[in-house]
Amino acid sequence: MDQEISSNEKTPLLGTEHPTLENHRTHDVPVYDTKPNGPSPLSRSFSTDSNQFGSTTVISCHNICYSVTTKEKGIKKERQIIKNLSGLVQPGLNAILGPTGSGKTTLLDILAGRKDGKHLSGVVLVNGQKQPENFKCITGYVVQDDVVMGTLTVRENLHFSASLRLSRKLSKRERSKRVEETLSDLGLFHVAESKVGNEFIRGISGGERKRTNIGMELILAPSVLFLDEPTTGLDAATAVSVVQLLQGLGHRGKTVIMSIHQPRYSIFKTFDTISLLSNGEFVYQGPANQAMKYFEDIGFVCEPHNNPADFFMDVINECDAAHGLSNSSETTVVSMGEGHSSTKPPNLPEIFRKSQFAKIVQDSTKPILEEFSASQGSVVVSEGDKITYATSFCSQLVTVSGRAAKNILRNPQTSIVQLIVMIIFALIVGAIYYQLKRDEHGIQNRVGVFFFLVMNTVFGNLSAVELFIEERPTFIHESASGYYRISVYFLAKVFCDLIPLRLVPASIFSVVVYFMTGLDRQVAKFFIFTFTLILTNLCACSVGFFVSACVRTFAIANLLVGLPYVFMMVFGGVLINLYSVLSWLAWIKYISIFRYAIEILEINELHNMHFHCPANSTLCLSNGNQYLSSQGIIVDHLWYNELALAAMTVVLMTFAYIALRLIKKEK
């Protein structure tokens, strides 16, 4: 273990019986060098003129620790995920491997500047300097799940990224050229006009979808590209093609860093360097083509023709299980060399810390940290929260609104069904209460129709909970990457939802019901009636927007929206007389959409309206004012009630926006 390990040494995996990694290498990989060689000529869309950090980018991490707060039997405890890691990542294809729960994604997020600094210690440097505050905006990050818009074509998705992330100094023609070059480099020209696809639209293949995700980040021409499990959900051949694409980027001078669980051999052989993790600690960090020799030297021998990645995972799991650290319920027995006398598997992190590879890492990272500390005076962790946007607020609003509008137009099921249901319900209500008369039943029938109208308007907005839940992963990724301001996304989504799904159906609904039921045909009263139903619609959907921004799942959202709707209905003044309610519950009427809306409609229709009562009737009210007085409704409060609905709408919308801002955006 103490012998010098050469970076250019040709190390067979298992002698002549096993294919060697070197037989598949396209170039020799240098062991960590603080002065990396310049990159080879880049392709068109990845030229160095857009490189934010110069010709090459080297990322170094120094004494990184990261913990999370967990609860065990009601007691809060700090669980350490990353334990005092130091390392260096140079241009090329760099892979982070390890069993489930070993900290791969956490380490990737730390290197990408996407973890909250509250539980993070140590420092991450870029070319020897502190990570820029907008590091997330000038690097690419491809998340594990696809986050492209399924209703848009491949070209439209790339144009969306280019319109928001590229500087306005570039002309529209130059941005379009960047899109076309990216399509060419990723081999997506043949599906450029095809929709990506969703649950309603059949789209492109999984590999093409993954390349589109990568293209959304490459539009920025970043010098550093992070990928979290890029082969997840792909078949073997497609996974290989995606990783070969990443290998090509690495050979062009990009620093490509990816986390991956257990790649097949054809993928493993493309890696320039690998970092093997076990419970937040390195068990190996260095050139991929020397990993097998390292494990042989410490006593672990891979069986002929076994996949190296599978072998590494088996070794790690077996050693972790022996030390009581395994996250897996099953372990595989791994053969050990003849010279290994220990009956208990060794502590892999401890062995690595004493190895020559760890010494190389230390010798490479220590001067960088010392130089940085001398220039800065102290070592601190960058919070990385600041985002510098490439485009203006108005430009972002136009672009994001355009995408939202296309999404609705190309996926019209929701809007069409919403409109059809509203028209059908309007016809049913109109038929039941057709041409109401001003007889002894006139007041009761009118109050009944108002209650049903408000109930339908309120409960018809249960679909509003989908607004932010459906696109939550996309929003988190795009906002964290600096695509747009949160306020832009909020306004674009709200406006594009309200107009086609709320305002238009509500207006049509009002017209049909008003004239079929034969309500007082005065122009002013008709407009107050329509305005009230629209305002009720807005207030009800704002409740849905608020809940949608607070929770992640539809089931919980529907429950949280339906419950307040029911309480508001009970305290609306129709099902129960509000004066008979217990005092400690009476306050609910002040936040009841039903109460305000029904009172407005009753005042608007019944004020000064006369009814024909039979001569022998003692219960019939001949004047609408008598009914309003008996219910404690003050006629002069009509516009106060309208103002109350408007105020509730504004408050709830503001809460929804605040909830959207509070969503953790680490990816």
Side-chain angles (χ1 to χ4, degrees):
M1 282 303 301
D2 294 333
Q3 63 183 359
E4 184 70 14
I5 300 176
S6 171
S7 63
N8 295 320
E9 180 183 0
K10 308 301 185 187
T11 307
L13 289 177
L14 287 170
T16 58
E17 294 186 4
H18 197 288
T20 66
L21 291 176
E22 284 301 324
N23 291 336
H24 302 277
R25 309 304 291 177
T26 56
H27 65 294
D28 291 336
V29 182
V31 176
Y32 301 101
D33 181 5
T34 56
K35 296 181 180 179
N37 296 326
S40 57
L42 308 183
S43 67
R44 297 163 302 175
S45 64
F46 309 121
S47 58
T48 55
D49 59 1
S50 60
N51 195 325
Q52 304 286 342
F53 306 107
S55 60
T56 59
T57 300
V58 177
I59 299 178
S60 59
C61 60
H62 309 267
N63 306 316
I64 292 295
C65 295
Y66 184 79
S67 61
V68 295
T69 303
T70 60
K71 273 190 176 183
E72 294 182 12
K73 298 180 179 179
I75 301 175
K76 288 186 177 181
K77 293 184 178 181
E78 288 289 323
R79 179 177 168 231
Q80 203 164 16
I81 306 298
I82 299 297
K83 304 171 184 176
N84 200 35
L85 296 186
S86 295
L88 198 69
V89 184
Q90 296 188 113
L93 182 55
N94 307 273
I96 303 173
L97 290 81
T100 301
S102 60
K104 300 186 300 295
T105 300
T106 301
L107 177 59
L108 188 75
D109 290 344
I110 291 172
L111 295 177
R114 292 173 181 250
K115 279 296 182 186
D116 184 8
K118 182 179 179 182
H119 300 284
L120 179 64
S121 63
V123 64
V124 178
L125 302 178
V126 181
N127 288 342
Q129 303 296 322
K130 191 170 77 170
Q131 278 181 323
E133 290 183 324
N134 65 334
F135 187 64
K136 294 181 290 186
C137 305
I138 55 181
T139 56
Y141 192 107
V142 181
V143 296
Q144 182 173 346
D145 299 321
D146 295 329
V147 290
V148 287
M149 191 64 65
T151 53
L152 270 59
T153 66
V154 173
R155 178 177 276 113
E156 286 172 339
N157 273 295
L158 296 184
H159 269 294
F160 177 79
S161 179
S163 298
L164 293 173
R165 305 186 76 187
L166 295 180
S167 172
R168 281 292 141 182
K169 294 179 181 178
L170 294 176
S171 65
K172 186 176 181 180
R173 182 178 179 181
E174 289 173 321
R175 290 196 297 272
S176 297
K177 183 181 178 182
R178 179 73 64 84
V179 170
E180 299 305 310
E181 291 172 348
T182 304
L183 287 170
S184 176
D185 287 330
L186 295 175
L188 291 171
F189 253 127
H190 66 291
V191 293
E193 301 305 327
S194 301
K195 292 183 177 65
V196 172
N198 56 23
E199 63 270 23
F200 300 110
I201 303 172
R202 183 171 181 176
I204 58 180
S205 68
E208 291 162 346
R209 191 182 184 98
K210 183 64 68 175
R211 278 182 278 166
T212 303
N213 274 273
I214 296 173
M216 294 280 285
E217 303 304 312
L218 292 183
I219 281 291
L220 192 60
S223 61
V224 186
L225 180 64
F226 299 93
L227 303 101
D228 184 18
E229 301 278 2
T231 59
T232 298
L234 302 180
D235 61 78
T238 303
V240 171
S241 67
V242 169
V243 175
Q244 286 176 342
L245 165 68
L246 301 175
Q247 182 190 31
L249 295 174
H251 291 176
R252 296 181 188 131
K254 301 292 179 183
T255 301
V256 182
I257 311 171
M258 60 184 288
S259 66
I260 191 166
H261 177 61
Q262 208 160 336
R264 58 184 295 183
Y265 175 66
S266 55
I267 291 177
F268 180 84
K269 69 185 182 182
T270 64
F271 300 151
D272 294 323
T273 68
I274 62 172
S275 300
L276 291 173
L277 281 174
S278 172
N279 290 291
E281 297 182 276
F282 285 133
V283 299
Y284 175 79
Q285 186 185 24
N289 58 5
Q290 298 184 30
M292 291 294 292
K293 178 64 166 59
Y294 169 78
F295 275 88
E296 287 178 8
D297 289 343
I298 65 175
F300 292 95
V301 181
C302 182
E303 296 178 354
H305 307 293
N306 189 11
N307 177 17
D310 292 338
F311 168 68
F312 297 148
M313 296 304 106
D314 291 341
V315 172
I316 293 172
N317 284 329
E318 181 184 357
C319 293
D320 286 350
H323 293 276
L325 301 172
S326 178
N327 294 312
S328 175
S329 59
E330 298 182 2
T331 58
T332 302
V333 177
V334 182
S335 62
M336 304 179 69
E338 295 179 359
H340 207 290
S341 60
S342 176
T343 58
K344 184 177 181 180
N347 187 317
L348 295 179
E350 184 65 27
I351 291 178
F352 175 72
R353 283 192 287 269
K354 298 177 181 178
S355 71
Q356 189 65 29
F357 285 100
K359 185 177 184 302
I360 293 171
V361 172
Q362 184 179 7
D363 292 344
S364 300
T365 57
K366 187 176 180 180
I368 298 175
L369 182 61
E370 289 177 348
E371 183 178 350
F372 171 75
S373 300
S375 61
Q376 297 292 322
S378 61
V379 178
V380 294
V381 175
S382 173
E383 293 289 340
D385 291 331
K386 183 177 180 181
I387 294 179
T388 303
Y389 298 100
T391 52
S392 65
F393 178 91
C394 293
S395 176
Q396 290 178 7
L397 186 60
V398 171
T399 302
V400 179
S401 298
R403 184 180 71 169
K406 286 181 181 178
N407 189 35
I408 292 175
L409 293 173
R410 295 178 184 178
N411 191 22
Q413 290 88 345
T414 302
S415 55
I416 291 176
V417 169
Q418 182 98 347
L419 181 60
I420 292 175
V421 168
M422 291 290 276
I423 292 175
I424 291 175
F425 194 84
L427 293 174
I428 292 174
V429 173
I432 295 174
Y433 295 96
Y434 186 73
Q435 297 300 314
L436 295 173
K437 299 178 181 179
R438 299 188 183 186
D439 55 14
E440 68 271 23
H441 306 298
I443 293 179
Q444 180 184 1
N445 290 340
R446 281 169 171 78
V447 173
V449 74
F450 295 152
F451 175 78
F452 273 108
L453 291 178
V454 174
M455 182 181 68
N456 174 73
T457 301
V458 172
F459 282 93
N461 286 281
L462 285 172
S463 62
V465 299
E466 298 180 1
L467 187 67
F468 299 122
I469 295 177
E470 190 175 17
E471 295 181 12
R472 193 183 187 95
T474 302
F475 163 71
I476 291 174
H477 170 66
E478 291 178 346
S479 61
S481 298
Y483 278 69
Y484 42 68
R485 296 165 175 83
I486 297 176
S487 57
V488 165
Y489 180 80
F490 178 79
L491 292 175
K493 289 294 294 181
V494 166
F495 288 151
C496 290
D497 181 273
L498 289 180
I499 295 174
L501 300 181
R502 317 296 165 192
L503 301 185
V504 172
S507 300
I508 296 175
F509 178 80
S510 301
V511 173
V512 174
V513 168
Y514 195 86
F515 291 101
M516 284 192 69
T517 54
L519 299 178
D520 196 352
R521 295 187 179 181
Q522 293 185 30
V523 176
K525 290 190 174 184
F526 168 73
F527 281 110
I528 291 175
F529 175 87
T530 303
F531 177 71
T532 301
L533 288 188
I534 290 176
L535 198 55
T536 302
N537 212 311
L538 294 177
C539 193
C541 73
S542 64
V543 177
F545 292 165
F546 175 48
V547 173
S548 179
C550 292
V551 301
R552 296 173 178 268
T553 59
F554 289 113
I556 296 176
N558 283 326
L559 179 64
L560 293 179
V561 170
L563 199 59
Y565 283 173
V566 170
F567 274 100
M568 289 178 182
M569 180 176 65
V570 172
F571 288 85
V574 175
L575 300 180
I576 187 173
N577 190 293
L578 297 179
Y579 289 101
S580 64
V581 177
L582 297 175
S583 58
W584 61 277
L585 287 175
W587 62 271
I588 298 179
K589 67 182 180 183
Y590 295 109
I591 58 171
S592 173
I593 299 174
F594 282 81
R595 176 196 167 219
Y596 293 121
I598 292 174
E599 283 191 5
I600 294 169
L601 296 177
E602 289 177 346
I603 294 172
N604 184 57
E605 175 71 12
L606 299 179
H607 179 52
N608 291 334
M609 178 173 282
H610 296 279
F611 297 89
H612 306 289
C613 293
N616 58 350
S617 175
T618 58
L619 300 177
C620 177
L621 299 177
S622 61
N623 192 293
N625 293 341
Q626 295 175 334
Y627 172 80
L628 296 176
S629 178
S630 67
Q631 296 297 312
I633 300 174
I634 302 175
V635 175
D636 293 339
H637 284 184
L638 186 148
W639 291 107
Y640 287 114
N641 291 336
E642 299 277 19
L643 183 61
L645 288 176
M648 286 179 64
T649 301
V650 172
V651 170
L652 288 168
M653 288 289 190
T654 302
F655 286 166
Y657 173 67
I658 293 173
L660 207 62
R661 290 197 65 91
L662 293 177
I663 294 176
K664 288 186 178 181
K665 306 172 186 68
E666 294 184 348
K667 290 187 179 181

